Short mmCIF file of all heavy atoms in Angstrom, two decimals:
data_model
loop_
_atom_site.label_atom_id
_atom_site.label_comp_id
_atom_site.label_asym_id
_atom_site.label_seq_id
_atom_site.Cartn_x
_atom_site.Cartn_y
_atom_site.Cartn_z
N VAL A 429 -1.12 -4.53 -2.75
CA VAL A 429 -0.62 -3.24 -2.25
C VAL A 429 -1.25 -2.03 -2.95
O VAL A 429 -1.05 -0.90 -2.52
CB VAL A 429 0.92 -3.16 -2.34
CG1 VAL A 429 1.55 -4.06 -1.31
CG2 VAL A 429 1.43 -3.50 -3.73
N THR A 430 -2.05 -2.28 -4.00
CA THR A 430 -2.74 -1.15 -4.64
C THR A 430 -4.07 -0.84 -3.95
O THR A 430 -4.67 0.20 -4.19
CB THR A 430 -3.04 -1.44 -6.14
OG1 THR A 430 -3.93 -2.57 -6.22
CG2 THR A 430 -1.77 -1.73 -6.92
N GLU A 431 -4.51 -1.76 -3.08
CA GLU A 431 -5.78 -1.57 -2.39
C GLU A 431 -5.63 -0.51 -1.29
O GLU A 431 -4.64 -0.54 -0.56
CB GLU A 431 -6.18 -2.91 -1.74
CG GLU A 431 -7.64 -3.05 -1.51
CD GLU A 431 -8.04 -4.51 -1.29
OE1 GLU A 431 -7.37 -5.41 -1.83
OE2 GLU A 431 -9.00 -4.72 -0.57
N PRO A 432 -6.60 0.42 -1.17
CA PRO A 432 -6.48 1.45 -0.12
C PRO A 432 -6.40 0.80 1.27
O PRO A 432 -7.15 -0.12 1.56
CB PRO A 432 -7.76 2.27 -0.26
CG PRO A 432 -8.36 1.90 -1.56
CD PRO A 432 -7.81 0.56 -1.96
N GLY A 433 -5.48 1.28 2.09
CA GLY A 433 -5.37 0.77 3.46
C GLY A 433 -4.58 -0.50 3.58
O GLY A 433 -4.49 -1.10 4.65
N ALA A 434 -3.94 -0.95 2.47
CA ALA A 434 -3.15 -2.17 2.52
C ALA A 434 -1.68 -1.86 2.28
O ALA A 434 -1.35 -0.92 1.58
CB ALA A 434 -3.64 -3.16 1.47
N GLY A 435 -0.84 -2.66 2.87
CA GLY A 435 0.57 -2.63 2.49
C GLY A 435 1.44 -1.65 3.24
O GLY A 435 1.32 -1.51 4.44
N PHE A 436 2.31 -1.01 2.50
CA PHE A 436 3.41 -0.22 3.06
C PHE A 436 2.97 1.02 3.81
O PHE A 436 2.11 1.77 3.35
CB PHE A 436 4.36 0.21 1.94
CG PHE A 436 5.20 -0.92 1.42
CD1 PHE A 436 5.73 -0.87 0.14
CD2 PHE A 436 5.49 -2.03 2.20
CE1 PHE A 436 6.53 -1.89 -0.36
CE2 PHE A 436 6.29 -3.05 1.73
CZ PHE A 436 6.81 -2.98 0.44
N ASN A 437 3.62 1.25 4.96
CA ASN A 437 3.55 2.54 5.64
C ASN A 437 2.21 3.00 6.20
O ASN A 437 2.05 4.17 6.51
CB ASN A 437 4.11 3.64 4.73
CG ASN A 437 5.48 4.07 5.22
OD1 ASN A 437 5.66 4.24 6.42
ND2 ASN A 437 6.43 4.19 4.32
N VAL A 438 1.26 2.08 6.31
CA VAL A 438 -0.01 2.44 6.95
C VAL A 438 -0.23 1.54 8.16
O VAL A 438 0.44 0.52 8.31
CB VAL A 438 -1.22 2.33 5.98
CG1 VAL A 438 -1.17 3.43 4.94
CG2 VAL A 438 -1.26 0.96 5.31
N ASP A 439 -1.20 1.92 9.01
CA ASP A 439 -1.45 1.14 10.23
C ASP A 439 -2.43 0.00 10.01
O ASP A 439 -2.74 -0.75 10.92
CB ASP A 439 -1.99 2.06 11.33
CG ASP A 439 -0.91 2.99 11.84
OD1 ASP A 439 0.20 2.50 12.10
OD2 ASP A 439 -1.17 4.20 11.94
N THR A 440 -2.98 -0.06 8.77
CA THR A 440 -3.95 -1.11 8.48
C THR A 440 -3.44 -2.01 7.37
O THR A 440 -2.44 -1.70 6.72
CB THR A 440 -5.27 -0.46 7.99
OG1 THR A 440 -4.97 0.40 6.90
CG2 THR A 440 -5.94 0.32 9.11
N ASN A 441 -4.15 -3.11 7.19
CA ASN A 441 -3.79 -4.00 6.09
C ASN A 441 -5.03 -4.77 5.64
O ASN A 441 -6.01 -4.89 6.40
CB ASN A 441 -2.69 -4.98 6.53
CG ASN A 441 -1.78 -5.37 5.38
OD1 ASN A 441 -2.10 -5.12 4.20
ND2 ASN A 441 -0.67 -5.99 5.69
N VAL A 442 -5.00 -5.24 4.42
CA VAL A 442 -6.06 -6.08 3.87
C VAL A 442 -5.36 -7.31 3.32
O VAL A 442 -4.63 -7.20 2.34
CB VAL A 442 -6.82 -5.39 2.73
CG1 VAL A 442 -8.00 -6.25 2.27
CG2 VAL A 442 -7.30 -4.00 3.14
N VAL A 443 -5.53 -8.46 3.97
CA VAL A 443 -4.75 -9.62 3.54
C VAL A 443 -5.60 -10.87 3.29
O VAL A 443 -6.72 -10.98 3.77
CB VAL A 443 -3.64 -9.98 4.58
CG1 VAL A 443 -2.81 -8.77 4.96
CG2 VAL A 443 -4.22 -10.66 5.81
N ARG A 444 -5.03 -11.77 2.55
CA ARG A 444 -5.58 -13.10 2.41
C ARG A 444 -4.50 -14.08 2.84
O ARG A 444 -3.33 -13.90 2.49
CB ARG A 444 -5.96 -13.37 0.95
CG ARG A 444 -7.32 -12.83 0.60
CD ARG A 444 -7.68 -13.13 -0.83
NE ARG A 444 -7.76 -11.88 -1.58
CZ ARG A 444 -8.00 -11.81 -2.88
NH1 ARG A 444 -8.16 -12.90 -3.60
NH2 ARG A 444 -8.08 -10.65 -3.48
N ILE A 445 -4.90 -15.09 3.60
CA ILE A 445 -3.93 -16.07 4.09
C ILE A 445 -4.11 -17.37 3.31
O ILE A 445 -5.23 -17.90 3.20
CB ILE A 445 -4.12 -16.32 5.61
CG1 ILE A 445 -4.04 -14.99 6.38
CG2 ILE A 445 -3.06 -17.31 6.13
CD1 ILE A 445 -4.34 -15.10 7.87
N PHE A 446 -3.02 -17.87 2.76
CA PHE A 446 -3.04 -19.10 1.97
C PHE A 446 -2.21 -20.19 2.63
O PHE A 446 -1.20 -19.91 3.27
CB PHE A 446 -2.47 -18.86 0.57
CG PHE A 446 -3.26 -17.90 -0.27
CD1 PHE A 446 -3.00 -16.53 -0.23
CD2 PHE A 446 -4.28 -18.36 -1.09
CE1 PHE A 446 -3.73 -15.64 -1.01
CE2 PHE A 446 -5.03 -17.48 -1.87
CZ PHE A 446 -4.75 -16.12 -1.83
N GLY A 447 -2.67 -21.44 2.48
CA GLY A 447 -1.90 -22.61 2.89
C GLY A 447 -1.77 -23.52 1.69
O GLY A 447 -2.24 -23.17 0.60
N GLU A 448 -1.17 -24.71 1.88
CA GLU A 448 -1.01 -25.59 0.71
C GLU A 448 -2.36 -25.98 0.12
O GLU A 448 -2.46 -26.29 -1.07
CB GLU A 448 -0.14 -26.82 1.02
CG GLU A 448 -0.64 -27.72 2.12
CD GLU A 448 -0.03 -27.37 3.47
OE1 GLU A 448 0.23 -26.18 3.75
OE2 GLU A 448 0.20 -28.29 4.26
N GLU A 449 -3.43 -25.93 0.95
CA GLU A 449 -4.77 -26.27 0.47
C GLU A 449 -5.44 -25.12 -0.30
O GLU A 449 -6.54 -25.27 -0.80
CB GLU A 449 -5.64 -26.70 1.66
CG GLU A 449 -5.97 -25.62 2.69
CD GLU A 449 -4.93 -25.50 3.81
OE1 GLU A 449 -3.71 -25.49 3.52
OE2 GLU A 449 -5.34 -25.37 4.98
N GLY A 450 -4.79 -23.96 -0.36
CA GLY A 450 -5.38 -22.81 -1.05
C GLY A 450 -5.76 -21.72 -0.06
O GLY A 450 -5.17 -21.63 1.03
N LEU A 451 -6.77 -20.91 -0.43
CA LEU A 451 -7.19 -19.80 0.44
C LEU A 451 -7.74 -20.31 1.76
O LEU A 451 -8.63 -21.15 1.79
CB LEU A 451 -8.27 -18.97 -0.28
CG LEU A 451 -8.82 -17.77 0.50
CD1 LEU A 451 -7.78 -16.67 0.64
CD2 LEU A 451 -10.06 -17.21 -0.19
#
Side-chain angles (χ1 to χ4, degrees):
V429 289
T430 63
E431 204 162 331
F436 286 156
N437 254 316
V438 289
D439 290 314
T440 54
N441 211 346
V442 185
V443 310
R444 276 181 246 177
I445 305 174
F446 296 89
E448 59 266 35
E449 66 272 45
L451 180 70

